[in-house]
Amino acid sequence: MAINFSAFDIGLSALQANQLGLNVTGQNIANVNTPGYAQQSVVLSPTAPQAVGGQLVGGGVTVDQVQSSRDQFIQNRLQTENGNTGRLTAQSNSLAPIDAAFSDTGNGISTGLTNFFGAFSSLQANPTDNSLRTAAIASGVQLGASLSFTRSQLTSAVSAANQAIGGNVQKANSLATQIASLNSSILQAQGGSGNASDLITQRDQAVNSLTELTGVSSTQNSDGTISLTLGDGSPLVLGDKAFSLQATPTGPSGLYSLTLNGKPAAISNGEILGQQDAIGQISSQISQLDSIASSLATAVNTIHQSGTDLNGNPGGAFFTSSDGNPISAANLTVSAAIQANPSLLAVAAAGAGTGDGSVAASIANLETDTNQTAGSQTGSFPSIYSSLVSTAGSALQTANDGLTTQQAIMTQTTNQAQSESGVDLDQEAVNMLSYQRAYEAAAQFITAANQITEAVIQMGQ
Amino acid sequence: MPDKVIHQAAELMRDQAVAYQKLVLLTEQLTSALVCGDLHQIESLTRAGQSELLRLRSRLAQTTAILSQFAASRQSAPDRASISQEARTEFESASDEVLRQARLFQRSRGRAAALAMNGVAYAGACIEMCGVKPTTYGAPYVRPGGGKWL
């Protein structure tokens, strides 16, 4: 009888399969705490039998593939929720500074308005009192400083969000390049006999991060690669090619304008959109604050210019711009001439004599005059400002509430994905115990059968 | 009388040969199940093999007992009654068949044994990696009502 080597081949293939199985189990256990890791398993199948001595003999075992437990539907949902979480987190973080900017802790705008109108109300009763004149001027200066301080805080928040956008665009481009490279590696691994599961896990993690930044949509291609597109369908990653987002500073404030392949980038979700939304909201608040400053200056100046000062001369502009630009919250201040000479404060009506305080009374009455207009708002100046603060607070509260809800959704989705594809150490252990017990029992049976057979053969000899 | 005993032993040996044929088939199927790691199939075949083994062992004991009795009676009997040619041929044919089937079984069990031992070593290594202490496990038994092993 010829020597039959098929038993050696079978043993070798079984050993190789078991070695790979051991590696995969080790990989599963090592990655039990790795976010986004999908449990892997070895898919084995018997090799085709070969004819040996007229009989078909099995050729051992081959490894078909190393399979990851992934549910594409849950993965897609996870990516969408990642985008929502990124957007709401960025929005909440970027809007957080407005809470401090509008907080009225003694030197705020609300207090400034009350003090300003109160100072003119006091001056109305005693218009020639130099100390009251000085106090009224000082309250105007203080109000201008409060407006300017609040505006600078809002501008800083815009600037910080804008810088974050710049940083996020760089991260997004780096991730897009990484995903394109992984696409290429996965294609190669799947074409050969390599294990693409780890590469797919890495790519999933990169896609999750990119979705969190930009809210891209992913599409699985038939060759195992994925394509990523922005909200308008523009590709960010196509197979092994990545396209770069460009962030170009525009306008005097240097806000970034984002483009992809020369066209405006349609960011539909993610941190970048959250930061863009926050910039839009804060910019609107700055604009409203500027309108309040401008309208207040116009109203006060109109009244002030209708009166006469202590010298009997017509009043000039009470509020002016400190930098020569049109009056806004950034540059509102009291005229330098009036600050230097309080007697130039025009509190008396024209021709009424220096003892008259009716102009001061008119300025003081602006506090309750509900016919004033600032931007699209109508009402008294304190009420218009309150409305602005209320709107800003509401925007922040909405962002925070949305984030809290989104975090709960994200936790639920992550748990769902984890239960679908995560590594369960208990299950791994139970599987191994069952495996060992079955093989042990089979080995015992075969050994016992062999012992009896040896006895039978010895009896026959 | 000696022919009757020899007939009995030959009968048992023929049954034994059939049992070995069954064992060869079982072992071939077990090899396939071990290769695929099909735990339910492994368990089922192992249990079937153990049952067959029990009967095999029992018949072996019976055969040994009959042949011992025969040897003892032959020694004590003064006439030493001769065995008929027919009985002798039947016995030799049955014993040859048992030996042939036993050797066939030995050949087929080699692959199954290697796979099973590999599997035990593999599972042991995995269990250590899982942090589960290796202990002694009994033969696999299906839970009442079926289902996975626990």
Side-chain angles (χ1 to χ4, degrees):
Chain A
M1 183 180 171
I3 295 171
N4 182 0
F5 288 104
S6 67
F8 295 110
D9 292 339
I10 291 167
L12 180 63
S13 67
L15 276 174
Q16 285 170 340
N18 287 344
Q19 180 64 47
L20 182 61
L22 184 63
N23 290 343
V24 168
T25 304
Q27 175 83 341
N28 281 344
I29 293 163
N31 286 286
V32 67
N33 292 320
T34 304
Y37 179 79
Q39 184 176 20
Q40 297 178 6
S41 55
V42 181
V43 180
L44 303 173
S45 67
T47 52
Q50 293 176 333
V52 176
Q55 284 188 325
L56 286 176
V57 177
V61 60
T62 52
V63 177
D64 276 356
Q65 58 172 317
V66 177
Q67 198 174 46
S68 288
S69 317
R70 278 189 182 79
D71 185 319
Q72 200 54 43
F73 174 75
I74 295 176
Q75 280 299 321
N76 288 344
R77 199 177 150 216
L78 195 61
Q79 285 166 12
T80 307
E81 298 307 340
N82 258 331
N84 287 337
T85 306
R87 174 173 55 81
L88 290 165
T89 304
Q91 202 172 25
S92 176
N93 289 342
S94 301
L95 288 176
I98 67 173
D99 197 27
F102 286 118
S103 68
D104 217 346
T105 53
N107 292 321
I109 294 169
S110 184
T111 309
L113 284 168
T114 304
N115 291 345
F116 175 72
F117 292 122
F120 275 90
S121 180
S122 303
L123 191 58
Q124 164 202 355
N126 202 352
T128 55
D129 187 325
N130 202 44
S131 63
L132 290 178
R133 282 172 170 269
T134 305
I137 293 165
S139 68
V141 172
Q142 182 58 48
L143 177 59
S146 297
L147 283 164
S148 174
F149 179 70
T150 300
R151 192 186 194 280
S152 71
Q153 283 189 300
L154 295 178
T155 310
S156 296
V158 168
S159 179
N162 193 43
Q163 279 183 1
I165 287 177
N168 281 342
V169 165
Q170 282 184 356
K171 278 191 217 166
N173 287 336
S174 165
L175 285 167
T177 308
Q178 187 188 344
I179 291 164
S181 166
L182 283 165
N183 265 344
S184 173
S185 303
I186 288 165
L187 201 57
Q188 283 175 5
Q190 287 181 339
S193 56
N195 175 11
S197 285
D198 289 337
L199 296 170
I200 292 172
T201 299
Q202 278 181 41
R203 188 183 64 186
D204 281 350
Q205 286 171 338
V207 170
N208 281 345
S209 301
L210 187 58
T211 313
E212 202 171 337
L213 291 175
T214 59
V216 286
S217 304
S218 68
T219 312
Q220 187 85 31
N221 301 321
S222 57
D223 59 0
T225 62
I226 54 163
S227 298
L228 301 177
T229 50
L230 293 183
D232 62 351
S234 309
L236 193 58
V237 174
L238 271 182
D240 59 354
K241 285 184 188 145
F243 301 90
S244 284
L245 282 167
Q246 302 290 329
T248 315
T250 52
S253 53
L255 290 180
Y256 285 119
S257 165
L258 304 187
T259 53
L260 180 68
N261 297 327
K263 293 179 190 168
I267 306 290
S268 56
N269 212 345
E271 282 186 28
I272 294 178
L273 182 68
Q275 281 147 354
Q276 285 178 329
D277 283 351
I279 287 176
Q281 289 184 25
I282 301 171
S283 297
S284 163
Q285 288 154 13
I286 291 172
S287 174
Q288 277 183 271
L289 201 62
D290 286 344
S291 294
I292 290 172
S294 168
S295 299
L296 178 70
T298 304
V300 170
N301 286 349
T302 303
I303 296 170
H304 189 260
Q305 283 166 338
S306 71
T308 54
D309 61 21
L310 270 181
N311 305 317
N313 297 320
F318 178 79
F319 282 124
T320 56
S321 161
S322 60
D323 56 9
N325 291 321
I327 291 176
S328 69
N331 56 22
L332 181 81
T333 188
V334 176
S335 151
I338 294 174
Q339 284 190 58
N341 183 3
S343 67
L344 296 181
L345 196 61
V347 296
T354 53
D356 179 53
S358 56
V359 168
S362 296
I363 291 174
N365 286 340
L366 285 175
E367 186 175 15
T368 53
D369 183 356
T370 55
N371 294 318
Q372 299 302 316
T373 302
S376 59
Q377 299 278 316
T378 302
S380 65
F381 286 112
S383 72
I384 292 173
Y385 176 70
S386 292
S387 171
L388 167 61
V389 173
S390 167
T391 307
S394 172
L396 179 60
Q397 188 61 43
T398 304
N400 287 341
D401 287 349
L403 180 60
T404 305
T405 309
Q406 182 56 34
Q407 280 168 340
I409 293 171
M410 191 67 207
T411 304
Q412 190 191 24
T413 313
T414 308
N415 287 345
Q416 199 180 355
Q418 196 64 24
S419 70
E420 189 65 35
S421 59
V423 179
D424 182 344
L425 275 183
D426 293 342
Q427 191 58 48
E428 292 277 334
V430 167
N431 287 346
M432 286 299 107
L433 291 179
S434 303
Y435 189 88
Q436 188 185 41
R437 214 160 59 162
Y439 277 69
E440 214 169 44
Q444 282 172 0
F445 149 64
I446 294 165
T447 306
N450 190 47
Q451 283 169 354
I452 294 173
T453 308
E454 290 280 350
V456 169
I457 290 171
Q458 277 182 6
M459 281 169 68
Q461 284 170 348
Chain B
M1 174 65 185
D3 281 3
K4 192 183 170 190
V5 173
I6 292 301
H7 276 306
Q8 273 184 343
E11 184 69 33
L12 283 168
M13 282 183 174
R14 275 195 295 273
D15 287 348
Q16 204 76 323
V18 172
Y20 267 117
Q21 281 178 338
K22 285 183 189 171
L23 273 181
V24 169
L25 279 173
L26 273 171
T27 311
E28 293 293 344
Q29 290 178 60
L30 185 61
T31 301
S32 174
L34 288 167
V35 163
C36 297
D38 184 341
L39 298 186
H40 284 277
Q41 188 75 0
I42 294 169
E43 182 207 8
S44 168
L45 290 167
T46 303
R47 282 163 62 83
Q50 283 172 334
S51 301
E52 197 57 58
L53 207 58
L54 204 63
R55 288 192 287 270
L56 199 82
R57 204 189 293 269
S58 156
R59 272 193 297 268
L60 183 62
Q62 272 183 283
T63 311
T64 312
I66 287 171
L67 291 177
S68 302
Q69 270 181 346
F70 175 71
S73 66
R74 289 263 292 175
Q75 274 201 333
S76 59
D79 57 345
R80 297 257 178 140
S82 60
I83 306 163
S84 72
Q85 186 59 37
E86 183 205 351
R88 188 182 295 274
T89 308
E90 186 187 0
F91 182 82
E92 281 174 359
S93 162
S95 63
D96 282 351
E97 182 61 13
V98 170
L99 285 173
R100 198 173 72 82
Q101 293 297 340
R103 289 194 176 106
L104 277 177
F105 169 71
Q106 274 205 317
R107 275 208 288 276
S108 68
R109 69 100 216 167
R111 283 192 289 271
L115 286 168
M117 293 313 293
N118 278 348
V120 172
Y122 162 56
C126 287
I127 286 167
E128 280 197 51
M129 287 183 71
C130 288
V132 180
K133 284 181 187 171
T135 51
T136 306
Y137 304 103
Y141 292 107
V142 173
R143 278 190 306 176
K148 288 183 177 179
W149 294 328
L150 289 176

